[in-house]
Amino acid sequence: MIVGIMGAMPEEIAPLLAHYQTYESISFGGNTFYKVVLESKTLIIAYSRIGKVHSALTASTMILHFGCEKIIFNGVAGGINPQYKIGDLVLGEKLCQHDVDITIFGHPFGYFSEGKVFTQTDTALNGIAEKIAKKNGWTIYQGVIATGDQFISSKERKDWIKNEFNADAIEMEGASVAVVCDNLGIPLCVIRAISDNAGDEALVSYEEFLETSARVSASLVIQMIDEI
């Protein structure tokens, strides 16, 4: 089995590369992919770079070029559910694009023609992730993750996204990866560790907790690979 593991930034895949240690670096499509060969499976690891276009390109490359049969997206997100604390984990049960707006044609926010507002992830992978997190005593939720090509640091925008999509967390890549996997029939799990609260102080909080939160998320992914 070939499994793709994605992050958006180097910090989000660094703990994985440090754990596996032995890998082949492959340049393709303007990015570098790290191939890890294990006893019963092969991993293709990469950071996509930030944003929906880069993440969709990376996911498509993993599936269509490297033959990945499952995708796990690992990284950090801003929390907008008041229950979520920094370091908590959230599984994207479904994802949406909060910055899509063709409402002038009578469609809801987040909707593209011949598309849908919300894209579901894989229940089996989510179940594995949830079981492992609980075994380790990590706080984990399943919720709605909203994606957009914006770093949200405004309370007003955060509240709008929360109310419009009933969203629990915000990031910049997950929904585009979900659309790719949904169209190509590939099971997807999106795991995000909360690094900030997406409010007015989000930038300071994000920079302070990025690496810590990314390590928590990567630890879960490593244990998932052992079970898949």
Side-chain angles (χ1 to χ4, degrees):
M1 176 183 293
I2 306 174
V3 181
I5 305 175
M6 293 177 58
M9 297 172 290
E11 294 89 346
E12 294 173 331
I13 68 165
L16 298 166
L17 298 179
H19 174 78
Y20 292 112
Q21 296 185 350
T22 302
Y23 48 82
E24 178 187 359
S25 299
I26 303 169
S27 296
F28 185 85
N31 204 352
T32 301
F33 297 81
Y34 303 94
K35 182 178 180 179
V36 178
V37 179
L38 304 175
E39 285 186 8
S40 60
K41 56 185 73 77
T42 297
L43 310 180
I44 303 296
I45 303 172
Y47 73 90
S48 62
R49 294 162 292 175
I50 291 171
K52 293 192 294 182
V53 171
H54 287 139
S55 58
L57 173 61
T58 299
S60 299
T61 300
M62 284 183 164
I63 297 164
L64 299 174
H65 182 73
F66 290 101
C68 290
E69 301 162 77
K70 300 180 189 296
I71 298 285
I72 300 174
F73 198 111
N74 153 67
V76 298
I80 54 177
N81 186 318
Q83 290 185 329
Y84 294 2
K85 297 180 175 61
I86 290 173
D88 287 350
L89 296 165
V90 58
L91 295 168
E93 183 179 11
K94 57 183 182 178
L95 297 100
C96 62
Q97 299 181 64
H98 67 75
D99 58 349
V100 170
D101 181 0
I102 55 169
T103 55
I104 192 171
F105 299 110
H107 299 299
F109 286 105
Y111 176 83
F112 270 129
S113 299
E114 300 184 30
K116 48 194 172 185
V117 175
F118 295 100
T119 304
Q120 302 283 141
T121 54
D122 186 69
T123 55
L125 288 176
N126 290 344
I128 293 170
E130 194 166 38
K131 180 182 73 173
I132 291 170
K134 289 179 177 178
K135 181 178 71 176
N136 284 276
W138 298 327
T139 301
I140 190 166
Y141 300 93
Q142 291 203 39
V144 176
I145 295 179
T147 298
D149 284 322
Q150 303 162 349
F151 184 88
I152 304 300
S153 59
S154 158
K155 182 180 184 303
E156 290 74 22
R157 181 64 181 173
K158 178 188 77 170
D159 290 344
W160 181 85
I161 294 168
K162 184 179 187 305
N163 294 330
E164 183 68 32
F165 298 99
N166 197 28
D168 298 293
I170 308 172
E171 36 88 300
M172 299 177 68
E173 298 85 22
S176 50
V177 175
V179 169
V180 169
C181 290
D182 185 51
N183 279 274
L184 295 177
I186 299 297
L188 169 68
C189 181
V190 177
I191 303 166
R192 294 291 195 170
I194 300 302
S195 62
D196 63 86
N197 68 356
D200 293 333
E201 69 280 16
L203 182 59
V204 174
S205 177
Y206 173 83
E207 291 177 341
E208 182 177 355
F209 291 100
L210 169 60
E211 290 191 17
T212 301
S213 296
R215 282 196 298 270
V216 172
S217 181
S219 296
L220 175 56
V221 173
I222 289 165
Q223 293 182 58
M224 284 183 70
I225 294 301
D226 292 337
E227 286 216 18
I228 291 174

